[in-house]
Amino acid sequence: MTAGGDATRMAAQPADDASLAVALLAVDPVGLGGAVLRAAPCAIRDHWLAAFRGAMPVGTAWRRMPPDTPDSRVLGGLDLGATLAAGRPLAERGILAEADDGIVVLPMAERLACVMAARLAAVLDTQEVVVERDGLARRWPARICIIALDEGIDAEEMPPAQLLDRIAFMIGLDDLPRGAVVISPGPEIIAAARKTLARVVIQPELLHALCATALALGIASPRAVLLALRAMCAAVALAGRTMAREEDAMIAARLVLAPRATRLPEATPEEAPPETDPAEAMESESHPAAEQPRDEDLADIVTAAARAAMPPALLARLAAAQQAATRAGAAGRAGAVRRDGKRGRALGARAGRLHDGARLALIETLRAAAPWQAMRRRRDPRGDRPVLIRAEDIRLRRYEERSGTTAIFAVDASGSTALHRMAEAKGAVEMLLAECYARRDRVALIAFRRDSATVLLPPTQALARARRCLAALPGGGATPLAAALEAASCLAEAERRQGRLPLLILMTDGRANVARDGQTGRVAGEADALAMAPLLRAAGLPILLVDTAPRPQPFTRALADAMGGRHVPLPQADAAAMSAVIGAAARAA
Amino acid sequence: MMMDATGSHQAEAPDEATEAARPAKQAPRRPAAPPAPRPLFPFSALVGQEEMLRALLLVAVDPGIGGVLVQGDRGTGKSTAVRALAALLPPMRVVVGCRFGCDPATSGGFCEDCRARRVRTATTVPIPVVDLPLGATEDRVAGALDIERALVDGVRAFEPGLLARAHRGFLYIDEVNLLEDHLVDLLLDVAASGENVVEREGISLRHPARFVLVGSGNPEEGELRPQLLDRFGLSVEVRTPMDLATRIEVVRRRDSFEREPAAFAARWRRPQSRLRAQIGAARKRLPRIVTPDSALEMAARLCMALGTDGLRGELTLIRAARALVAFEGGREVTVAELRAVAIASLCHRLRRNPLDEAGSAARVQRAITEVLGP
C-alpha cells in the first residue's frame, strides 16, 4: 500500500475497521446507505459518531429520528401552523426530506417498527420522499445516509431486516477494546476521494470474487454484493487510486459481507456455483464469466478475508437475528401496540366534543371547518382570526384498541415424549396453527429437550415458518421442564409488554428430570418445575397443560394446579381430539 | 356556498416552486403525477425472474387479467420490475380536461364531468402507473375535499386522489402486506365495483376507478388477507438466484445503471423499443385470438381438479393464456399456453391451507400433469 494508504493500513484491528467504515461512509454516504452501530450507549459510540460527523463536509444535515416518530414528522405533510397563519395550505418537509444529502440517525433502531423500516427502505431505494398525506401530494429529494444505533441486548433484538438489507456496514462496537480510538481521515482526503469515486474502475474478476464470496457465506440478497461493490469503490478512491486491487475487495468482504454471513464458508472453499439454469444463463448477456483459475483464487482469498473478520459468536447471533427479523408481523414491533385508548393505530377521526383526555384531530377539524370559512367570515367580519372554528367542526382521534393473542406452544421434545406421541403433538400444534391463522393470532414455539429450552420460533404471524420449525423439531434427550417454564414465562411477559394477550399451551408427559442448573435427576427436576410454577400463576395467563403421558402422573396434575392452569390428560388422544380440547380452552381464555 | 364538485376544470400541474407566491385565486388542480426525477431501470435489462416478468408483460397486454402479486425474497428486483413496466406501456386516449382520465370511446361509465360535457375532445397520454406510497392517508387515496380551495376560496371542491389518477392504469403497492387495514378495505371495495364512492366532508361523488392492482412484498413480514389475495389475477413467487453467473450479471447491470443511468438506458433503448412494439402488437392481436372449446374444457378440468372456488380462476387462466398467445404471436390457445400460465393464475386461489407453504404451486403442478399430461 503506497500513496494515500492511510485507510488500508489500518485494516488489521477491529477498531481500525470501525475507523475505515467512517472513512468509506464519508466518501460515499448515499451509495453505501449507512451503518448499523451495535452497542449500548457508550463513549466509543459517541466517539464514532463524532468522527463520522467530522469526516463529513461542514454543514451536512444531521437529523435524529427516534423509533416512535409519527409519519407526519418522518415524511412531512401539512404545516398546520403556517396553514392557519396564511389561510391556505402549506406543506412541511419531514425529517427525511430535511436530511437530503445528509445523515439520519436512528436511536434505538432495534425498536423500529416494520412499517417505518419499509418507509425508510423506500426512500433509500428511490432517493426521494413521496408524500400523499393530508390532502397534499409532494415529492422531495431525499438522498440520505442512515446511521442506525442498535441498542439491542438479545441476539433477537435488532433492526428490521428490510433496513439492514440496504445498509452497508454493521459494526459491533461492543467488541472493541476499551479505549479504542476511531480515527477519520482529514476532510481534504475525503473530498479528494469523493472526486475520484466516479472514475473508479472495478475489474470483472474482483466483482466475480465478491459474488462468489457472498454465495460461499450464504448471503442471499444481491443488495449485499452491490453494497460491497460500493464499499470497494470507496476504498479504491480513498487510497487515491482509480484501479481496484485485491486488498479493496478484501476490505469490502470484511466490512460488508462478513457481518451478513449465514454460514461458514467450506473449509476448502471450492468455488462451486450450483447448476446454472440454462435459461437464466442465456438471459444474462454474453459476459466474461469464464471461470479462469485466477478468478477462483481471488474468490478464495476474498472469502478467507471475510471469514477472518467474522467474530466468533457471529453465526449464532445471525441465526437468531434472522428469526428475529421476520418476527415482527404487520402489527409492528415492541411498543407499537398499546391499549390505553390514546395510543395505537389511528383509525381516523370522528365528530365529538373535546373532553379531558380526548385528542384533537387537528387536521380533520381544520378540514371540517374549512368549507365554511367564507360564509362565516361574512357573518362574523371580525377579521382578526385566520380560521373560524365552531364546536361542530371538532374532530377527535380514534385509536384502535387491539389486543391480539399470542399462543405460546411449549412442546416437550424429550426422548420420553418422542417415544410416545411426538407425531400427535406435532399434528395437534399444526391444527391449532391453522385456527390461529383464522383468528390472525400470533404463535410462538418453544421446544425443550436435553438440558435446555429453546425458542424455536419467536412470536410471528408467518405460520408457514411455524410449520417449518415444527417439522424440523428433533426429538430425544432428557426433559428440562423447569427451563421450559422459565422460557415460556419470559416470552409471555414480553408479549404482555407489547399489549398482547399471551396464552400458554404446554405439552409434556411431565417426566421432568433436569433441574434449572442443568443437573439431571427426577427429584430435582420436578422440584424445580414446581418452583417455577408460581411465577406463571402470578403472570395470570391462561395455561393449558396437555399431558401426553400414556398414564397421567400425579405430578403433572400438581404442576398444572400450581400454575393455575388446566390439566388435560390425553392418554389416548389423537391430533384431532387434542385440537378440539385446546381450541375450546383458547376460546374460553 | 358554491358546489363545485361537478364543474369542469382544465388540468393544471401543481407548481411546486412558486408555492409561497401562489396567487389567492386559482383554478383547481388535477392531481397530475409529479414527474419521476430518476430514470427507471429498463425492463428489458432485468436478469432472470422469468415468471415475474412474464406475469407483468401479460397484464400489460391484457389489463383485464386483473393484476399481479409478486412475493418473495429481498433484493430480487420486485419493485424495480413493476416500476420499469411503465416505460413499456402504449399510450391511451383520454377526454381532454377530464380529472379522472375517462376514455372517450367508452360506451358508458363516464364520470359526472364528462357526462355533462357536450363535446368530448380526445387526447393521448401515457398509461398511468401510480405508486401508492407507504404512509399515504385515506383522503389522498380516495380523494377528498380540496383543502386549498376550501381555505382560499371558500369553495367546496373535490380533489381527486390516487385512485382517480390510477384509473385505466396500474396501481402499484410496494410492501403490500404492510398496508394498513382500512386502506386494504378501501381498495377491495373499489376494485370490486370499479367505482370510487366518496362520501366525506359534505362531498358526495362517485367516479370510475378501474385499475390493475400490482402488489409486491415479502411474506415473512406479514400475511396478506385472503380477500386481497383473491383480487390479484396472477401471483408469482420470486427467489434469489443462487447461481454465480446470474448473480454477477444482476450486480453488474445494477451497478452500471446506478453509475450512469442515462448511458445505461441508451444501451438498452433498442431492446426496450422491441419489447414495447411486441406489447403493442399483442394488444392489437388480442381480440382475434381464438380459444377453442378444447382449451376451455382443459381449463375447466384443471380448475375442477384443483377445486378452486368460483369461476375467477378459470377466467383468469383463459385470459392469461390468450394474452400469452398474443404476446408470442400465435393465433390459438393451446395446452402449452395453459400450462405456462396455470401456476401463476391458480396457485393463490386454492382452498387455502395456511400451513402449506410451497405446497400450492406444487399442487397446481401435479394437477397440470394429471389433466394436461406430463
Side-chain angles (χ1 to χ4, degrees):
Chain A
M1 283 146 254
T2 51
D6 300 22
T8 38
R9 217 183 308 126
M10 46 171 93
Q13 296 298 312
D16 290 346
D17 272 354
S19 302
L20 192 51
V22 166
L24 297 179
L25 207 53
V27 172
D28 188 7
V30 176
L32 290 166
V36 180
L37 304 184
R38 188 167 172 95
C42 60
I44 182 78
R45 194 180 79 181
D46 297 343
H47 186 52
W48 193 97
L49 287 171
F52 179 51
R53 201 163 185 172
M56 290 297 281
V58 180
T60 300
W62 187 278
R63 294 281 183 279
R64 274 177 85 82
M65 192 188 119
D68 50 358
T69 312
D71 270 355
S72 55
R73 205 41 220 121
V74 174
L75 303 171
L78 192 73
D79 183 340
L80 206 57
T83 299
L84 287 174
R88 64 198 166 80
L90 290 173
E92 172 186 43
R93 276 159 208 259
I95 290 174
L96 299 180
E98 284 171 3
D100 184 28
D101 276 325
I103 312 297
V104 177
V105 178
L106 305 177
M108 291 172 280
E110 76 283 359
R111 290 171 53 82
L112 193 72
C114 216
V115 287
M116 191 52 82
R119 287 153 172 65
L120 292 176
V123 170
L124 285 172
D125 284 352
T126 59
Q127 302 186 351
E128 59 175 351
V129 188
V130 181
V131 173
E132 295 282 353
R133 303 176 55 78
D134 311 332
L136 295 170
R138 291 288 186 280
R139 203 183 260 273
W140 288 302
R143 297 162 45 84
I144 57 169
C145 168
I146 289 180
I147 307 296
L149 307 179
D150 174 4
E151 294 165 13
I153 295 168
D154 303 340
E156 288 170 13
E157 264 187 307
M158 61 186 312
Q162 67 261 62
L163 189 62
L164 296 182
D165 199 39
R166 291 165 169 87
I167 289 183
F169 302 126
M170 298 174 188
I171 307 162
L173 292 179
D174 283 340
D175 303 336
L176 296 190
R178 282 182 74 85
V181 182
V182 180
I183 323 151
S184 69
E188 61 290 344
I189 296 180
I190 299 290
R194 283 186 172 205
K195 282 212 187 76
T196 318
L197 189 61
R199 288 183 288 125
V200 170
V201 178
I202 301 291
Q203 298 87 326
E205 60 266 25
L206 286 173
L207 175 59
H208 177 278
L210 282 186
C211 288
T213 303
L215 265 186
L217 297 177
I219 301 170
S221 174
R223 278 200 196 100
V225 184
L226 210 54
L227 291 172
L229 193 61
R230 295 265 161 281
M232 179 155 69
C233 291
V236 176
L238 194 63
R241 288 179 273 116
T242 55
M243 196 57 109
R245 290 184 194 162
E246 197 177 294
E247 66 235 36
D248 305 311
M250 286 164 73
I251 288 174
R254 231 174 39 229
L255 264 67
V256 182
L257 297 181
R260 292 165 206 268
T262 60
R263 63 163 188 251
L264 281 169
E266 306 278 313
T268 48
E270 275 181 45
E271 187 249 327
E275 296 286 306
T276 305
D277 184 350
E280 281 176 329
M282 268 180 359
E283 277 285 304
S284 58
E285 85 184 343
S286 64
H287 161 257
E291 262 86 343
Q292 301 152 355
R294 159 102 179 103
D295 288 6
E296 294 186 18
D297 294 348
L298 199 56
D300 289 357
I301 293 167
V302 174
T303 306
R307 189 190 167 141
M310 285 160 62
L314 185 86
L315 279 182
R317 207 156 76 193
L318 276 165
Q322 282 183 326
Q323 292 191 341
T326 55
R327 158 188 61 159
R333 293 173 68 109
V337 183
R338 287 180 207 140
R339 289 177 297 149
D340 57 5
K342 279 182 271 173
R343 305 246 179 167
R345 199 168 65 83
L347 278 182
R350 63 178 163 79
R353 300 168 73 98
L354 271 181
H355 58 85
D356 219 24
R359 290 181 52 173
L360 178 69
L362 209 44
I363 289 170
E364 299 297 328
T365 303
L366 190 68
R367 284 178 167 282
W372 312 99
Q373 294 304 305
M375 201 163 65
R376 284 178 193 165
R377 201 169 303 283
R378 276 198 292 277
R379 255 193 233 159
D380 180 15
R382 292 171 302 154
D384 54 340
R385 281 189 295 167
V387 180
L388 303 170
I389 292 181
R390 304 268 162 84
E392 67 263 26
D393 300 331
I394 300 294
R395 297 286 185 276
L396 303 177
R397 284 197 193 287
R398 283 196 309 145
Y399 288 91
E400 181 177 61
E401 297 193 8
R402 178 156 56 185
S403 63
T405 307
T406 302
I408 302 169
F409 291 92
V411 179
D412 186 345
S414 68
S416 52
T417 306
L419 210 59
H420 295 308
R421 45 188 33 150
M422 198 63 194
E424 274 111 322
K426 283 185 180 181
V429 174
E430 281 196 12
M431 293 180 74
L432 285 169
L433 287 176
E435 283 173 26
C436 290
Y437 174 79
R439 288 198 301 269
R440 298 190 68 71
D441 288 350
R442 307 215 294 181
V443 294
L445 187 60
I446 298 173
F448 54 105
R449 61 190 282 258
R450 298 214 173 125
D451 55 356
S452 63
T454 323
V455 179
L456 278 186
L457 181 71
T460 178
Q461 279 184 320
L463 298 194
R465 293 195 48 215
R467 180 193 157 98
R468 221 178 308 155
C469 272
L470 195 66
L473 181 63
T479 310
L481 192 51
L485 294 180
E486 189 174 8
S489 109
C490 287
L491 202 54
E493 185 52 39
E495 284 301 289
R496 196 188 293 281
R497 271 204 305 272
Q498 293 189 29
R500 294 177 173 275
L501 183 69
L503 167 73
L504 174 63
I505 295 144
L506 176 64
M507 288 192 180
T508 177
D509 59 358
R511 292 178 191 276
N513 54 11
V514 180
R516 278 179 71 201
D517 59 5
Q519 299 286 325
T520 47
R522 174 63 49 85
V523 179
E526 293 191 347
D528 268 11
L530 279 175
M532 285 305 298
L535 199 64
L536 283 158
R537 179 191 276 273
L541 70 158
I543 297 174
L544 193 69
L545 198 164
V546 180
D547 192 340
T548 55
R551 213 167 290 123
Q553 307 290 313
F555 165 73
T556 323
R557 174 166 287 281
L559 181 66
D561 288 346
M563 292 190 300
R566 273 183 68 190
H567 174 248
V568 188
L570 287 173
Q572 308 301 329
D574 56 8
M578 276 165 87
S579 168
V581 170
I582 297 166
R587 274 189 296 279
Chain B
M1 173 75 39
M2 174 184 159
M3 284 301 293
D4 203 18
T6 56
S8 71
H9 313 298
Q10 288 298 314
E12 186 176 301
D15 189 352
E16 296 274 342
T18 60
E19 183 163 29
R22 196 192 291 278
K25 275 278 179 192
Q26 199 179 44
R29 301 165 296 151
R30 172 168 187 209
R38 296 209 316 163
L40 293 168
F41 193 87
F43 192 91
S44 41
L46 291 161
V47 181
Q49 312 294 5
E50 290 81 4
E51 276 267 304
M52 169 174 73
L53 301 189
R54 183 167 59 199
L56 290 171
L57 288 171
L58 291 184
V59 291
V61 171
D62 182 7
I65 290 170
V68 182
L69 174 66
V70 186
Q71 286 191 291
D73 295 338
R74 289 188 190 87
T76 42
K78 298 183 291 273
S79 49
T80 304
V82 178
R83 295 191 174 119
L85 188 67
L88 295 180
L89 299 170
M92 66 177 191
R93 306 282 286 166
V94 295
V95 175
V96 173
C98 176
R99 295 183 294 168
F100 308 106
C102 280
D103 180 1
T106 188
S107 49
F110 277 116
C111 68
E112 290 171 30
D113 297 10
C114 289
R115 255 178 271 147
R117 259 180 254 272
R118 244 178 292 146
V119 187
R120 287 191 285 264
T121 42
T123 183
T124 303
V125 296
I127 288 185
V129 177
V130 175
D131 239 303
L132 180 69
L134 282 168
T137 52
E138 196 181 337
D139 58 272
R140 283 300 305 138
V141 177
L145 179 75
D146 184 336
I147 192 165
E148 170 149 18
R149 298 208 64 207
L151 277 174
V152 177
D153 307 336
V155 173
R156 192 188 296 187
F158 177 70
E159 182 173 26
L162 297 175
L163 294 179
R165 202 190 286 164
H167 178 47
R168 301 176 59 209
F170 291 71
L171 183 67
Y172 173 48
I173 310 169
D174 194 9
E175 305 279 2
V176 62
N177 35 11
L178 298 183
L179 195 66
E180 288 176 61
D181 274 349
H182 65 282
L183 288 180
V184 172
D185 296 342
L186 176 68
L187 286 178
L188 286 176
D189 192 31
V190 175
S193 63
E195 191 175 50
N196 180 30
V197 179
V198 183
E199 293 283 355
R200 53 190 297 163
E201 292 139 355
I203 285 181
S204 176
L205 175 140
R206 55 183 60 211
H207 66 81
R210 284 182 298 278
F211 46 84
V212 178
L213 197 58
V214 182
S216 65
N218 184 326
E220 302 217 318
E221 277 150 23
E223 301 264 346
L224 210 59
R225 268 164 61 185
Q227 297 91 326
L228 187 58
L229 201 60
D230 191 50
R231 280 288 141 211
F232 292 98
L234 305 175
S235 163
V236 287
E237 199 174 329
V238 285
R239 289 264 154 263
T240 313
M242 279 319 220
D243 75 285
L244 190 58
T246 309
R247 289 178 59 120
I248 291 175
E249 195 53 31
V250 168
V251 174
R252 211 171 62 80
R253 288 193 192 172
R254 188 77 218 177
D255 177 54
S256 88
F257 169 73
E258 282 179 9
R259 279 160 165 258
E260 291 169 309
F264 188 81
R267 275 206 298 286
W268 286 91
R269 192 164 292 139
R270 289 188 61 190
Q272 281 283 93
S273 52
R274 266 203 304 276
L275 195 53
R276 198 180 298 120
Q278 196 180 353
I279 292 173
R283 282 189 160 220
K284 288 210 182 72
R285 199 179 299 120
L286 187 64
R288 299 197 305 274
I289 301 296
V290 179
T291 315
D293 288 348
S294 60
L296 291 174
E297 192 196 318
M298 286 290 191
R301 276 173 47 201
L302 191 58
C303 290
M304 272 157 65
L306 285 165
T308 52
D309 296 336
L311 280 174
R312 214 197 301 258
E314 224 166 303
L315 289 172
T316 309
L317 180 58
I318 291 289
R319 283 197 94 134
R322 288 168 56 97
L324 185 60
V325 173
F327 184 72
E328 289 176 342
R331 295 170 177 283
E332 192 175 294
V333 176
T334 68
V335 173
E337 286 86 24
L338 287 177
R339 196 192 291 277
V341 298
I343 292 182
S345 311
L346 299 177
C347 72
H348 57 302
R349 298 174 201 277
L350 304 191
R351 187 61 65 77
R352 210 166 133 73
N353 176 359
L355 304 172
D356 211 355
E357 36 176 332
S360 47
R363 272 164 71 196
V364 177
Q365 189 58 56
R366 205 161 49 224
I368 292 172
T369 314
E370 277 168 19
V371 177
L372 307 180

